[in-house]
Amino acid sequence: MKAIYYLRVFLVSYEFVFLIFSAALYILFGELLEKHFLVVSINEDALKWAMLFPISISGWTLKDGVSVIFPDDKTSKTLHEWPDFWKLKVHFNVGIMNSIIYLLPCVAVWFIGGLNKFDGAWLFFMFAVATSLNAFSFYTAKIGIRSALIKTNE
């Protein structure tokens, strides 16, 4: 049961939908997009520092994501006693895993110098945006959990 829920959480997410949509765009319109990409000149300094974006987003997710399941000392007990806490924990685990998985292609493309080529830049962009969507999901989860805990403590 839990394994199926893990798979569902992974496959039914904004990040995964974005990656599928981006892959479809690449397959359908890759040649057209590449022609426009080749016309644009890219700043070499920007390429050197491009990796800071996905690393910082993943770092924030790994650091602040813990507050999704441990909001604070007073309300964490209430959250952990919730009968569906295991579902929240599954979402947390998948989100942390996604943060790491989505960072790896960005690091690989940047490390081999693939940002100068359309394929590498597209791959980097896809996974950098997926990392951002993952972080946004954590951010909205923190807000939703705090709101729910305030209502239960009233």
Side-chain angles (χ1 to χ4, degrees):
M1 170 79 175
K2 285 188 180 182
I4 292 171
Y5 194 73
Y6 266 96
L7 188 61
R8 180 185 162 274
V9 169
F10 179 75
L11 294 176
V12 183
S13 65
Y14 294 117
E15 302 93 336
F16 194 74
V17 170
F18 174 78
L19 289 173
I20 296 297
F21 177 73
S22 296
L25 277 176
Y26 178 79
I27 291 166
L28 296 173
F29 303 107
E31 292 176 16
L32 178 67
L33 293 170
E34 187 172 8
K35 289 178 187 174
H36 292 292
F37 178 79
L38 294 174
V39 174
V40 177
S41 66
I42 301 174
N43 185 339
E44 290 298 320
D45 284 337
L47 295 178
K48 279 196 273 186
W49 297 100
M51 196 56 223
L52 286 180
F53 177 73
I55 284 178
S56 61
I57 296 294
S58 291
W60 178 86
T61 303
L62 294 172
K63 180 184 171 292
D64 274 7
V66 174
S67 65
V68 168
I69 56 173
F70 295 103
D72 58 38
D73 293 337
K74 293 180 183 178
T75 57
S76 290
K77 187 175 190 280
T78 304
L79 184 63
H80 285 255
E81 290 172 350
W82 177 43
D84 285 337
F85 176 74
W86 72 272
K87 289 182 179 180
L88 177 64
K89 186 79 188 250
V90 168
H91 284 268
F92 172 80
N93 290 339
V94 170
I96 292 296
M97 180 185 67
N98 284 347
S99 182
I100 295 165
I101 289 172
Y102 297 158
L103 180 62
L104 294 177
C106 293
V107 171
V109 167
W110 180 79
F111 189 71
I112 64 170
L115 287 173
N116 293 329
K117 299 174 186 146
F118 174 71
D119 297 338
W122 187 264
L123 191 67
F124 184 90
F125 171 77
M126 279 177 41
F127 283 98
V129 171
T131 301
S132 300
L133 289 171
N134 187 52
F136 184 72
S137 295
F138 270 92
Y139 182 72
T140 57
K142 285 173 62 172
I143 292 170
I145 288 168
R146 286 191 181 187
S147 176
L149 288 172
I150 287 171
K151 290 177 184 174
T152 58
N153 289 334
E154 289 179 349

